[in-house]
Each structure stands twice: as structure tokens, then as C-alpha cells.
Amino acid sequence: QVQLVESGGGLVQPGGSLRLSCEASGSILGVNVMGWYRQHPGKQRELVAHITNVGGTFYANAVKGRFIISRDNAKNTVYLQMDSLKPEDTAVYYCKLVLRGIWEFWGQGTQVTVSS
């Protein structure tokens, strides 16, 4: 069974930076995609960015140029470097793993608050 553990959320002022981490425990060998989603209060969860096991990336338009997703396959960990944060980035951020295109796993979520 795969478990995802997120860390790195918190409170930051507008224009600041945060780095989220998500470590997967268990075996995730094979084709997989790790990504970050976020959910604003009262809204549906939305994709922020994802990265494949060979390094292909995708970013939502709202975060292009400000966020960078990366991963360390040896540590089964994905990162989200968030710069130039805006109040509208405030949300609960979730890590997601899709393994071999079949199995989906979610982290518990971490709160990011951008406020002065």
C-alpha cells in the first residue's frame, strides 16, 4: 500500500515563497505521475502541476512562471517550489500519485495561506 505524506505548508506574505514536499512510501516502480492539486474553500480540487517519472511536466496557467515542480526518484519525493505567491494561491494543497495509469493515491493535504 502506498502512502503519501506532505509537508511544507504554512503562512506567507504576498510575494513570498514556500516549498512543498510529498514523500511516497511503498513501491512506486513503473510509469507514474506525481502531482499537486489545490482546493479553495467551496470549490472543486484543481490541478496545479504534475511531473512524470521521466521528468515531463505540466503546469496550470495560473501558476506558470511562478511555481516549479520537481522530483527525486531515489527518495520517491515530489516538490513544489512556489514563488511570487498571491492571496489567490491560498488553498489546501494535495499531493497525488497515479501509478501505471491505474491506481490513484492522495495525500492528506497541507494548508497554504498567503496573507499580509
Side-chain angles (χ1 to χ4, degrees), residues 29-74:
L29 294 177
V31 176
N32 65 77
V33 180
M34 297 188 79
W36 291 95
Y37 287 68
R38 66 186 182 187
Q39 189 166 20
H40 296 98
K43 295 194 175 181
Q44 290 191 337
R45 203 170 291 186
E46 62 182 18
L47 174 64
V48 175
H50 66 60
I51 184 167
T52 71
N53 56 301
V54 293
T57 58
F58 171 86
Y59 294 92
N61 287 336
V63 305
K64 280 182 181 177
R66 300 189 297 122
F67 292 8
I68 297 176
I69 190 169
S70 62
R71 63 188 288 169
D72 185 335
N73 289 334

Side-chain angles (χ1 to χ4, degrees), residues 4 12-13 17 20 22 27-28 30-33 36-38 49 53-54 58 64 82 87-88 105 107 112 116:
L4 303 177
V12 64
Q13 292 187 341
S17 299
L20 304 182
C22 172
S27 175
I28 62 168
V31 176
N32 65 77
V33 180
W36 291 95
Y37 287 68
R38 66 186 182 187
N53 56 301
V54 293
F58 171 86
K64 280 182 181 177
M82 304 186 294
E88 51 263 44
F105 304 90
V112 171
S116 55

